[in-house]
Amino acid sequence: MIKAVNIQKKYGDLQVLKGVDLHIQKGEIVSIVGPSGAGKTTLLQILGTLDVQSNRKETSLLINSTDVISLNDKALAKFRNDHIGFIFQFHQLLPEFTALENVCIPAFIKKTPRNAAETRAKELLEFLGLSHRYHHKPNELSGGEQQRVAVARALMNKPSIIFADEPSGNLDSESADNLHKLFFELRDKFGQTFVIVTHNEELAEMADRKLTMVDGRIIK
């Protein structure tokens, strides 16, 4: 599913990632933990193709057997939209759109016909217990509901893998617990693969594997 070798990242003189190797199997839920500044989010962004490693000629990153480093910007954007979903701490829903419209956005980017996109979005929102919220805008939803809409949006194009960055960090404990359980339901129902950066120890321990980052490296 994901095979990363010698991922490094520098910002000027600051080396944030110092040669990370990572192999994640299909259907795994992997948590990444560590202190602030360890490089967790930077690694997640590179794995998710939102950022690029500093040593492109000395590394490799395969996702679904595709060498993403070799893709040009247009091909990479298409690959990202087709194969990768993202969930962030702050849901990043567009406030002027309804829940249904927010979920449909990845499909519209893919040029999926509106009827097909809306059908898929409604199925996801129903699965997530939000069938009564199709036409509500984000400011009319609770924090937990907003994050479930963000999960539906991440699932819209049936991605191979979902990257989540502190997905429950902005939720109360009950909503966070419900979201954590949801990830495992999605894995069991859809065979979804998750890579989750989190400070939530309960979520980290629930994962199939917990990886710890310290000072730009994954430690054993």
Side-chain angles (χ1 to χ4, degrees):
M1 173 59 66
I2 298 179
K3 190 169 184 179
V5 177
N6 191 28
I7 302 294
Q8 299 183 30
K9 184 65 178 181
K10 278 181 148 185
Y11 296 102
D13 293 331
L14 177 64
Q15 186 153 3
V16 179
L17 299 178
K18 301 176 181 178
V20 175
D21 297 334
L22 186 64
H23 191 194
I24 295 171
Q25 303 284 352
K26 178 175 173 57
E28 268 196 302
I29 295 181
V30 176
S31 64
I32 302 177
V33 302
S36 296
K40 304 183 300 298
T41 293
T42 300
L43 176 62
L44 201 73
Q45 290 175 340
I46 290 174
L47 296 177
T49 73
L50 295 175
D51 198 356
V52 295
Q53 52 271 65
S54 300
N55 59 331
R56 291 171 63 96
K57 295 181 179 179
E58 304 159 350
T59 185
S60 65
L61 176 57
L62 302 178
I63 301 176
N64 264 1
S65 301
T66 297
D67 177 6
V68 297
I69 296 175
S70 69
L71 300 178
N72 62 33
D73 289 347
K74 183 176 180 180
L76 185 60
K78 183 179 187 306
F79 179 89
R80 186 186 305 121
N81 192 50
D82 289 346
H83 296 278
I84 298 174
F86 297 97
I87 304 169
F88 303 99
Q89 177 176 354
F90 300 100
H91 49 77
Q92 296 188 353
L93 302 178
L94 298 179
E96 66 271 28
F97 294 141
T98 65
L100 185 65
E101 290 167 338
N102 268 285
V103 175
C104 284
I105 288 171
F108 291 157
I109 293 171
K110 195 176 179 178
K111 302 191 185 307
T112 302
R114 177 173 289 275
N115 286 345
E118 290 185 350
T119 297
R120 165 77 174 161
K122 287 178 179 179
E123 289 172 352
L124 288 168
L125 288 169
E126 182 176 1
F127 176 77
L128 295 172
L130 293 171
S131 57
H132 60 304
R133 296 296 204 188
Y134 292 159
H135 304 297
H136 289 69
K137 293 185 177 179
N139 65 358
E140 300 171 310
L141 304 174
S142 70
E145 287 173 334
Q146 290 174 19
Q147 197 61 305
R148 277 184 281 156
V149 172
V151 171
R153 180 183 59 190
L155 291 167
M156 184 66 199
N157 285 343
K158 301 180 181 179
S160 306
I161 187 163
I162 289 180
F163 294 101
D165 191 4
E166 297 289 358
S168 57
N170 201 37
L171 300 178
D172 60 69
S173 57
E174 181 179 359
S175 296
D177 185 53
N178 290 337
L179 182 66
H180 300 165
K181 291 175 181 176
L182 173 62
F183 291 154
F184 289 85
E185 290 177 24
L186 292 170
R187 192 268 299 275
D188 294 343
K189 184 174 177 64
F190 300 115
Q192 199 67 62
T193 305
F194 285 89
V195 179
I196 306 169
V197 164
T198 184
H199 282 104
N200 186 299
E201 280 299 321
E202 181 181 355
L203 173 57
E205 294 295 338
M206 289 169 66
D208 300 318
R209 279 194 294 149
K210 181 176 77 169
L211 305 177
T212 301
M213 287 196 72
V214 175
D215 193 25
R217 293 184 174 91
I218 292 175
I219 62 174
K220 302 296 183 183

